[in-house]
Amino acid sequence: MKIVAKKKLWKYLFWFGPFLITVGLTVGLVSEQWGLIPLAFLITGIVISGLWIIWQSYQTNWWKRRSTQAGTNALVATLAVLAILGLINFLGTRYHLRADLTETQLFTLAPQSRELVNVLPQPVKVWVFDINQNPQDRELLENYQRQSSKFKYEYIDPQARPGLAEKFGVKDYGEVYLESGDKRQLVQTVSENERLSEVRLTSRLQQLTNSTTAKVYLLQGHGERQLSAGKGAISQAVQGLGDKNFTTAPLNLAETSKIPQDAAVVIVAGPKRGLFEGEVKALQEYLNQGGSLLLMIDPNTDPKVDSLLQEWGVRLDNRLAVDVSKDSVGLGPAAPLVTEYGQHPITKDFSNGNSFYPVARPLEIISVRGVEATPLLRTKPYPNSWAESDLQSEKLEFNADKDLKGPLTLGVALTRKLPAKSTSTPQASPTPSPIPSPTTQSKASPTPSSLPSPPSPSSQTATESRLVVLGNSSFATDGLFQQQLNGDVFLNSVTWLSQQEKQTLSIRPKEPKNRRITLTTTQANLLILSSLLVLPLIGLAAAVIIWWKRR
């Protein structure tokens, strides 16, 4: 009777152990404080349960039983699997690994957006004043938030929190605002037809976090592209500069003999008439003092800037660049399609994207001491493209005596190191090297052996002047500016010229490719018959034959 009583006592003590463990866990989880009381319950329960297991093993040789060993192995294996799964979940919450398997990386932020968010100087929050939370918009905001802990977002119901809505000046559902410190800015208004744009969000984020503003002057007075909306205008390009925190203003050098001191970049966009000699000298002095200039020169025009370009080793070819390889995209032969770009900050993220340049002229690059030239835009090789000299002929044919074989250079970026003193004292223009007339394709672009040697160590602290020359200006006009990578070529050129190395360059988010298959009625009927009738009959016939042979 005493032995039975002892066994019952140990049985009751065993149940008391798990009970104390449960109490300790409950107290700790509910109070969220693992103090003395929950730990005392846990330790006492674990000790009692352990003593019961030891006693059971001693009394019945429990550990030596085959069933006990099998059960223990199963328990250890189960605990190991649970530990591995817990570790995987822990790592998953700490480290995010996402793979975007779409061909154009639809669900991945552009490199410029990631770079900007990664270096945020202070916390930024996006406020979306809307009742409905669109999954596409949330995914975009989540992508931003994954890049930095300083980026947050929140959806707000304007009716539930009218005070906050009034603080931001919300007028309608769907308004998206950026807030950083005491600065607030409207990004856009989202709706069913217009979703949150990465381009706008990144641009507004850049404006909000960038305290510096660069001044861009656009030369006027020689038939250049109109800055306000109109036929052949570049108003969208000007707006794009404003979105990237540039301040733009027209410049007439016939009225002011010098470039304003606050000019970060001067743009000459498609002049139809020649510049005065004094205007060209003003641009030369500006470059000699470390300035930056963007020249967009169309064919059949003579802006009288040959002396300036000669100093930098660039010659404007009077022939027309043609491309006969792109009939499928609906562009004429006089609008070269470019998919090959130079290794340069302006075009580093373009990959093999498309940009096109209606009515463009090729450029010839000649090696000049002290000038580093990088071709930006290259057409396809001959026979797909060439420089046509006969502009009056209706039939485009390559003439070996007059025309120039592709690939052609349509844009080039150039840099020149200047002594530090040149920022205060204008330096005389260097003596230009003689430029031979173009006769062979080998002269169209510099060979590795003809590139200028790296600057000497003594010139590493010199001021750098920059020049970008494009043989076309229509690519940046209204309507074409937003097509493919055209706008990016313009905005990236200005950004690089402004020498704001921390300013992110522009590139538009990828768009899904159209993979629709257009079928005629006959093709559609044939597809239906083959899939619903022919293929099943072939399978049935094969099954019957196999059955017959095995029978």
Side-chain angles (χ1 to χ4, degrees):
M1 294 295 293
K2 292 183 178 179
I3 295 175
V4 175
K6 288 182 178 180
K7 288 184 178 181
K8 289 184 177 180
L9 178 63
W10 277 107
K11 183 178 180 181
Y12 295 143
L13 285 175
F14 164 70
W15 285 111
F16 193 57
F19 172 75
L20 292 178
I21 293 175
T22 304
V23 171
L25 290 174
T26 304
V27 172
L29 293 174
V30 172
S31 64
E32 296 183 355
Q33 294 181 357
W34 297 92
L36 181 61
I37 295 178
L39 289 178
F41 280 118
L42 283 173
I43 294 173
T44 304
I46 292 172
V47 170
I48 292 175
S49 299
L51 290 174
W52 180 86
I53 293 173
I54 295 173
W55 183 82
Q56 282 287 90
S57 175
Y58 176 75
Q59 290 290 327
T60 62
N61 291 326
W62 184 58
W63 286 109
K64 295 182 180 181
R65 294 178 182 176
R66 181 177 296 179
S67 59
T68 302
Q69 293 176 357
T72 303
N73 291 336
L75 178 63
V76 171
T78 303
L79 293 176
V81 171
L82 293 175
I84 293 173
L85 292 176
L87 181 60
I88 293 175
N89 279 302
F90 172 75
L91 294 176
T93 57
R94 294 289 298 273
Y95 306 99
H96 298 283
L97 179 61
R98 302 173 73 248
D100 187 352
L101 302 181
T102 58
E103 180 180 0
T104 55
Q105 299 294 291
L106 287 174
F107 305 104
T108 303
L109 292 180
Q112 293 76 9
S113 299
R114 297 198 300 269
E115 179 184 349
L116 180 62
V117 178
N118 285 332
V119 296
L120 284 175
Q122 57 186 352
V124 173
K125 188 168 185 178
V126 176
W127 299 88
V128 184
F129 292 91
D130 203 353
I131 299 177
N132 301 317
Q133 300 185 17
N134 183 272
Q136 181 179 336
D137 294 347
R138 285 187 62 90
E139 177 65 22
L140 178 61
L141 293 171
E142 287 287 348
N143 283 341
Y144 276 93
Q145 188 168 267
R146 291 188 188 101
Q147 306 303 318
S148 173
S149 59
K150 294 182 179 180
F151 186 96
K152 303 293 182 183
Y153 74 92
E154 185 176 351
Y155 276 83
I156 299 295
D157 183 356
Q159 292 185 346
R161 300 181 64 179
L164 185 62
E166 184 179 356
K167 175 183 176 182
F168 281 85
V170 177
K171 299 179 180 178
D172 198 2
Y173 284 101
E175 293 187 5
V176 181
Y177 284 85
L178 262 175
E179 183 181 34
S180 178
D182 57 350
K183 297 180 180 179
R184 301 183 189 89
Q185 189 172 29
L186 176 65
V187 178
Q188 69 177 103
T189 302
V190 296
S191 62
E192 293 183 359
N193 299 324
E194 183 178 2
R195 303 273 33 106
L196 186 59
S197 166
E198 179 187 349
V199 176
R200 294 187 182 180
L201 185 54
T202 298
S203 297
R204 297 297 185 270
L205 186 61
Q206 187 178 50
Q207 293 179 24
L208 200 66
T209 57
N210 187 12
S211 58
T212 60
T213 302
K215 191 70 173 287
V216 177
Y217 286 92
L218 295 100
L219 192 65
Q220 297 288 282
H222 317 88
E224 289 88 354
R225 297 287 180 178
Q226 182 179 323
L227 306 185
S228 57
K231 183 178 180 180
I234 56 172
S235 63
Q236 291 179 343
V238 173
Q239 178 62 42
L241 291 175
D243 291 341
K244 292 186 68 63
N245 213 30
F246 288 102
T247 303
T248 58
L251 173 65
N252 193 329
L253 285 177
E255 299 175 353
T256 58
S257 58
K258 292 185 178 181
I259 307 295
Q261 293 184 353
D262 61 346
V265 182
V266 174
I267 300 176
V268 183
K272 293 182 174 60
R273 297 180 294 275
L275 278 66
F276 292 116
E277 184 178 351
E279 295 176 307
V280 177
K281 288 184 177 180
L283 293 174
Q284 288 175 317
E285 286 186 10
Y286 172 66
L287 288 173
N288 290 337
Q289 294 175 8
S292 297
L293 178 63
L294 172 59
L295 292 175
M296 300 190 294
I297 311 299
D298 294 315
N300 298 322
T301 61
D302 184 12
K304 306 295 183 183
V305 293
D306 292 341
S307 59
L308 183 152
L309 293 176
Q310 191 176 26
E311 297 176 4
W312 291 77
V314 179
R315 180 190 292 275
L316 298 174
D317 197 311
N318 292 323
R319 289 168 286 199
L320 180 68
V322 297
D323 183 354
V324 296
S325 66
K326 53 182 179 13
D327 293 340
S328 60
V329 297
L331 299 174
L337 182 70
V338 171
T339 58
E340 180 182 344
Y341 304 94
Q343 296 297 319
H344 192 271
I346 294 176
T347 55
K348 67 176 181 178
D349 294 311
F350 285 6
S351 185
N352 60 344
N354 297 323
S355 60
F356 57 96
Y357 305 86
V359 190
R361 70 193 310 166
L363 306 175
E364 181 186 359
I365 306 172
I366 306 299
S367 176
V368 172
R369 184 178 181 82
V371 176
E372 182 178 354
T374 304
L376 297 177
L377 313 170
R378 302 279 285 176
T379 65
K380 296 178 178 63
Y382 177 81
N384 291 323
S385 74
W386 68 85
E388 177 64 46
S389 58
D390 188 0
L391 306 183
Q392 305 299 326
S393 175
E394 296 182 359
K395 186 177 181 181
L396 293 175
E397 291 182 347
F398 178 76
N399 189 327
D401 298 332
K402 299 179 180 179
D403 299 337
L404 182 66
K405 291 182 179 180
L408 308 172
T409 299
L410 303 184
V412 60
L414 309 105
T415 58
R416 183 171 65 191
K417 297 290 185 181
L418 299 176
K421 63 180 181 180
S422 66
T423 58
S424 57
T425 304
Q427 186 182 27
S429 302
T431 303
S433 303
I435 301 178
S437 58
T439 55
T440 62
Q441 174 58 20
S442 61
K443 295 181 181 180
S445 61
T447 61
S449 59
S450 66
L451 289 174
S453 58
S456 60
S458 61
S459 65
Q460 292 300 317
T461 58
T463 302
E464 183 179 80
S465 56
R466 297 180 176 183
L467 173 67
V468 172
V469 183
L470 304 175
N472 177 261
S473 67
S474 59
F475 79 97
T477 55
D478 295 354
L480 299 182
F481 177 80
Q482 296 178 333
Q483 299 295 322
Q484 302 296 324
L485 293 174
N486 284 19
D488 301 304
V489 172
F490 177 84
L491 294 177
N492 285 6
S493 297
V494 177
T495 301
W496 177 75
L497 286 169
S498 68
Q499 304 193 34
Q500 298 183 78
E501 304 302 326
K502 294 182 180 180
Q503 178 99 330
T504 59
L505 299 181
S506 166
I507 190 167
R508 284 162 175 75
K510 292 86 175 177
E511 295 181 358
K513 288 190 175 182
N514 184 2
R515 300 197 176 279
R516 300 174 185 170
I517 300 178
T518 304
L519 300 176
T520 63
T521 304
T522 303
Q523 292 172 332
N525 293 334
L526 181 62
L527 181 62
I528 294 173
L529 289 175
S530 62
S531 58
L532 299 182
L533 183 62
V534 177
L535 291 178
L537 287 177
I538 292 176
L540 178 62
V544 171
I545 293 173
I546 294 173
W547 172 79
W548 181 263
K549 287 185 176 182
R550 290 186 176 182
R551 188 181 66 88

